[in-house]
Structures are given as C-alpha cells and as structure tokens.
Amino acid sequence: MSKYNGNREFKINIPGSVKLIIDVLENNGYEAFAVGGCVRDTILDREPQDWDITTSALPEQVKELFNRTLDTGIQHGTVTVMIKHVGYEVTTYRIDGEYNDNRHPESVEFTSNLIEDLKRRDFTINAMAYNEREGLVDAFDGINDINNKIIRCVGEPEERFGEDALRILRAVRFSAQLGFDIDEKTMEAIKKLAPTLENISAERIKTELEKLIISKNLCKLITAYNAGITKVILPEFDAMMECEQNTPYHMYNVGEHTIKVMENVSADKLMRWTALFHDVAKPLVKTTDANGRNHFKGHALEGSRLAPQIMRRLKMDNKTIKTASRLIECHDDRPASKGFNPEAIRRSVHKIGKDIYHNYLELVYADFMGKSKYGKDEGYDAYVYVCKQYEYIMENNICTSTKELAITGKDLIALGCPLGEKIGRALDELLEIVLKEPEKNTKDKLYVEAEKIIKSL
Ligand code: ATP
Ligand code: MG
C-alpha cells in the first residue's frame, strides 16, 4: 500500500521540467508532487496557468539541489526553481496559521505529511496532488466533485472562510471559470460570511474579480450579487442590479444589461472592465418623466468620472483606468444617428481616437446585443455604416489628428508662424480643413492654407 493511498491507475501528463524537479527531489530522499490548480486543470483538459510543486524538503534543502532558485516567499516555504528560464514554485508541505491581508498566512508551520498540506487548501478540486510514483492523491474526494461539477470547501466551510475570506470570492471565481455549481453548505457559509470580505486587501480582490469577469460564465457575478459579495466589494454593481430601466430600448435592469454587454465583448481585461462600468452612473442620473419613462441623460460622462474612482479603489493600473474611462465617456456616441455622413465619422474618429476606435465599436455592438429588439433595429444600420467608414479611414490612412497632417509644427515655423501656442492653434485649424476635405492633406495644399492661417493669427 502506498503512503498516501494514491490512485496509480490515474495518469497525468506532466511537463518535462516539472518531472525533472520532482525526480531530483525524490532522488535526494524527499517527497514531491505537482499540486493544486495544475492537477485540477490537467484533469479538466484545461491548460494550467502554472505548475506548482509541493515537497517534504525544507526551503534550504530545495535551494541546495538546484542551480538557479529565487527566494520568492521563503518565510512561507516557497522557493522558485528556474528551469530553462521558466520559474516553478516549490513549496514545503505546510500547515497555515491565520491569513492576514496578503496572499500568505501570518505564520506557517512546516510538516512532513502531504495530507496536512492538502488540508490547508481551499476547495476539494484544488487539493489534489500527483506524481508518477504515487499516482493521484485525493484525500478529499476532489475527483468526485470534478465529475459532479461542484465547488466544495475542504473541511468546514465556515471555518475555512473564517481563516481567509478571499476564499468566498474564489469560490464564485472558480464556479465561473469552470461552470461548476457551489455546494449547498459552502454556499450557506458564503452568504453568512460575505461581509468579512471587507477585511481583504483590494489587490487580492481585484485579482479574483478580474478572473471572474474574464471567464466564460461571468454571469456568476449575479451569484456574487445574490450572495451579498458585491455589496461589499463592488456596491456599485448592486446599485445597477437595483436600477430598473423603463424605456422601450431596454428589457433588463442596468445590472443584467451590463452582464449581457460583458458577454458580448471579447474576453479581454480592458474590454470586460470597460463593459462592467459602461453604465455605472445610470443609477445616479436616472430620472422619470410624466409618462413614467426613465431617462439617463449624461450617464456616459458621469460614468467616465465614477469608473476611474472605483478602478483606483481596486488598485488597477493607470493605463487600463485611463483607456476604460475614455471608452465609457464615448460609448453612447452615435456619429451616424443624424444621417450617413463621412465627415461625421472622421470627426468621431478624431474625438475618440484611432488607438481605441476598434474598442469603441466593439463596445457599441455589445451594447446593442444587450438591448431590446427595438433598440437594436433603431441604430443597427447606422452602426454598420460607421464600421465601414472606419475601415475606409484605416485602410486609406485618412488623417483624423494633427499628428497625421502632411505638414508639421516645424513647417509652420519655417513659414513664419510665431512660436508657442499659436502653432497648436494653426495645426488645429488645418486639421479642421482636412476633416472637412481629406484630399487637402498634402504638403502643397496645406502650405497654401497655412500661409492664410498664419496671417490671421
Ligand atoms: P489559477 O489557475 O487561477 O492559477 P489556482 O487554483 O492555481 O488557479 P492559485 O491562486 O494559483 O490558484 O493557487 C494555487 C493553489 O494554492 C490552489 O489550487 C489552492 O490549492 C491553493 N490556494 C491558493 N489560494 C488559496 C487560499 N486563499 N486558501 C487556500 N488555498 C489556496
Ligand atoms: Mg495557479
């Protein structure tokens, strides 16, 4: 009988480098297993994000055996072993103390028993270990839960969420990524302890929330709402769920509509965050007219102010915050709503920017998909027109910004334009001409125009 009662029939393909690390540790008298997410994902036929290894060797012992290692979290037992420029986290079997604000528990105790290490892990599907000698070590019936598509805590759910409240959000995140249901008892504990997510750092919340919203089943965000999770980590989403839209364009409340829009943009971080917040200000600007119809005037502009505040609170990077905010501000622009006019589209590309216009179009399309049929019919032809014009602009390098003018600030100075802000003004006036008549964007034609403009400055 094997030490951990592993299932030797179970075969998993592990990468050569992982096998090498396990072999080296075993050949030196230690135990070592691939563990956690990589085992789960391989069984599910998903590509693992990374391969983690758990071992009976102490960190110093691991370091002695490999040429290149990094002290990633040595006080928690983790050493990164570098093999062919790829890092593998090798962590000593451990029993965790209380978790604090960060990714690691306050104190850890090393142990020589794999099962003790598996016990500290959050869910049964994440608490399996594998190596070729022992087979699959599955002390908490993770395989059964994988087969039944269930997220279940290892041990007592309330106790486990009490140790680290982030696990509450992780449960929903895994359920969204894998399309699994959450076990009943685990769900009860989630509902009870959701308020304790308040103690978790924004960085940890953001990581899990981002994985949730870029996942296939991001509609589980509604599960998070129903369980009282978003109330703590994203109360703005609760406001959206509670904001009805009595207009002919909509058939969902703002929150449900938001989910539809998110589902219809690509699974890309920027697009999903942008879609999540595109209507975030609707609850704030909602009005009701004499006919009982709702209006949300100014919600895009207001949203472009509110969304960055939320994203900063979630400690998101500045580039994403800035781009998302620009997209939110323009998401309701309809440059062809008053007729099909190429100049209006050039002006729209100028205003929104060539760098993000494709993102804007993607968002507008997804926004249509989240509306009632009435809303879709009304603007769809116009949307197609805008797309075609945009393609034309891109294919033919049509100028929509001062940077793309055939003459530069330097040319203007050579023509006698005074230095300083007048150069900018002259370029703006030239762009104005070119937006009206793109064929004027040649050096010769713009020189003629520039001379006139400089005289009038
Ligand atoms: P992903 O594919 O997103 O990386 P993962 O399951 O590998 O998913 P990680 O956050 O990388 O998740 O964690 C690796 C493993 O460590 C998990 O599978 C789980 O066994 C354990 N683990 C991670 N975070 C926690 C936690 N907060 N509480 C308990 N165990 C955890
Ligand atoms: Mg992982």
Side-chain angles (χ1 to χ4, degrees):
M1 184 91 164
S2 63
K3 181 169 177 189
Y4 296 119
N5 199 17
N7 179 353
R8 288 217 186 90
E9 314 275 285
F10 213 101
K11 290 271 175 260
I12 284 179
N13 245 338
I14 48 181
S17 304
V18 176
K19 197 172 149 22
L20 175 90
I21 295 172
I22 293 176
D23 284 348
V24 169
L25 286 160
E26 285 187 338
N27 291 339
N28 284 278
Y30 305 110
E31 297 172 9
F33 293 83
V35 70
C38 59
V39 176
R40 175 200 70 221
D41 286 343
T42 314
I43 295 171
L44 283 166
D45 244 340
R46 291 163 57 93
E47 184 76 29
Q49 298 270 324
D50 36 44
W51 286 80
D52 295 327
I53 291 149
T54 187
T55 180
S56 60
L58 294 170
E60 288 307 323
Q61 296 168 326
V62 175
K63 284 173 70 173
E64 271 171 26
L65 294 177
F66 297 93
N67 287 336
R68 296 204 51 224
T69 62
L70 304 168
D71 292 1
T72 338
I74 199 145
Q75 66 280 32
H76 308 106
T78 303
V79 172
T80 297
V81 173
M82 300 298 299
I83 310 270
K84 293 185 197 149
H85 306 291
V86 180
Y88 297 87
E89 287 199 354
V90 178
T91 304
T92 306
Y93 295 165
R94 64 177 209 218
I95 300 170
D96 290 349
E98 285 274 305
Y99 274 72
N100 210 330
D101 265 14
N102 44 33
R103 200 177 170 279
H104 298 293
E106 271 295 91
S107 63
V108 304
E109 190 188 314
F110 296 136
T111 161
S112 57
N113 190 311
L114 169 67
I115 306 298
E116 290 298 320
D117 180 89
L118 297 179
K119 257 190 213 165
R120 74 172 170 92
R121 295 175 185 271
D122 45 9
F123 306 109
T124 59
I125 59 166
N126 288 347
M128 293 181 283
Y130 178 86
N131 71 21
E132 287 182 353
R133 195 188 293 240
E134 186 71 34
L136 185 76
V137 179
D138 178 19
F140 307 99
D141 247 350
I143 276 289
N144 215 9
D145 285 338
I146 283 194
N147 290 335
N148 295 317
K149 297 179 177 275
I150 298 283
I151 307 291
R152 184 198 315 274
C153 285
V154 172
E156 262 317 300
E158 280 195 29
E159 219 173 275
R160 305 317 308 284
F161 293 140
E163 291 160 1
D164 179 12
L166 186 70
R167 293 170 186 159
I168 293 167
L169 181 56
R170 282 172 63 86
V172 182
R173 183 266 272 199
F174 286 118
S175 131
Q177 282 182 321
L178 308 175
F180 283 20
D181 284 329
I182 297 174
D183 156 72
E184 210 180 300
K185 223 174 138 201
T186 299
M187 195 65 207
E188 273 172 29
I190 288 176
K191 286 183 178 157
K192 186 165 169 192
L193 294 176
T196 61
L197 271 166
E198 171 189 67
N199 305 320
I200 301 298
S201 72
E203 288 87 348
R204 295 182 83 205
I205 300 256
K206 183 235 153 191
T207 305
E208 295 298 329
L209 189 57
E210 186 164 86
K211 287 184 177 178
L212 197 171
I213 67 168
I214 62 173
S215 76
K216 204 164 155 204
N217 305 282
L218 65 93
C219 62
K220 299 268 182 187
L221 195 58
I222 294 183
T223 306
Y225 163 74
N226 288 326
I229 294 174
T230 52
K231 188 175 171 190
V232 186
I233 63 168
L234 196 65
E236 295 83 0
F237 186 71
D238 291 42
M240 289 194 255
M241 285 299 291
E242 284 144 28
C243 184
E244 296 302 328
Q245 311 193 81
N246 185 18
T247 88
Y249 300 102
H250 283 281
M251 49 200 261
Y252 305 110
N253 66 39
V254 176
E256 290 162 347
H257 161 74
T258 294
I259 296 286
K260 295 273 173 242
V261 177
M262 291 168 79
E263 286 171 345
N264 281 292
V265 296
S266 46
D268 159 271
K269 290 176 190 173
L270 169 69
M271 289 312 293
R272 289 281 166 91
W273 283 115
T274 303
L276 174 57
F277 294 130
H278 80 287
D279 276 349
V280 70
K282 273 193 170 176
L284 298 179
V285 302
K286 179 174 171 176
T287 55
T288 308
D289 67 19
N291 303 319
R293 192 172 149 169
N294 295 134
H295 299 274
F296 301 95
K297 212 160 172 270
H299 77 275
L301 184 61
E302 196 53 37
S304 75
R305 294 191 195 116
L306 179 56
Q309 289 172 22
I310 304 167
M311 290 191 274
R312 273 196 292 273
R313 189 181 76 210
L314 288 168
K315 302 280 194 288
M316 293 177 53
D317 65 282
N318 283 332
K319 183 158 190 273
T320 306
I321 296 177
K322 190 151 188 271
T323 312
S325 154
R326 283 171 64 198
L327 286 166
I328 293 166
E329 182 177 349
C330 66
H331 83 267
D332 225 18
D333 284 12
R334 295 293 176 265
S337 63
K338 294 198 180 79
F340 294 1
N341 170 3
E343 182 185 331
I345 315 308
R346 291 194 291 273
R347 287 187 185 279
S348 167
V349 175
H350 163 63
K351 179 186 164 221
I352 294 170
K354 265 185 184 168
D355 58 334
I356 58 166
Y357 209 78
H358 62 288
N359 299 118
Y360 155 78
L361 289 173
E362 186 182 340
L363 187 61
V364 171
Y365 178 80
D367 209 359
F368 273 124
M369 301 318 276
K371 289 183 182 173
S372 67
K373 192 159 179 314
Y374 181 84
K376 278 178 206 155
D377 285 350
E378 194 166 81
Y380 195 71
D381 291 347
Y383 169 75
V384 172
Y385 176 77
V386 178
C387 288
K388 289 210 174 113
Q389 286 297 318
Y390 165 68
E391 256 169 51
Y392 179 84
I393 288 170
M394 295 310 282
E395 273 167 17
N396 296 283
N397 290 319
I398 303 294
C399 166
T400 60
S401 67
T402 51
K403 286 196 303 280
E404 298 166 284
L405 286 168
I407 67 176
T408 65
K410 265 194 191 148
D411 296 327
L412 293 179
I413 295 166
L415 283 174
C417 182
L419 297 176
E421 51 94 31
K422 286 193 173 161
I423 297 174
R425 260 166 55 198
L427 287 171
D428 286 344
E429 285 191 35
L430 288 171
L431 178 64
E432 190 54 36
I433 292 168
V434 168
L435 285 173
K436 277 197 192 99
E437 298 172 83
E439 59 284 355
K440 284 215 166 149
N441 193 29
T442 67
K443 257 193 167 23
D444 289 350
K445 286 182 181 145
L446 289 190
Y447 269 121
V448 177
E449 299 293 342
E451 277 174 339
K452 281 190 259 172
I453 290 168
I454 290 166
K455 273 186 206 136
S456 73
L457 280 173

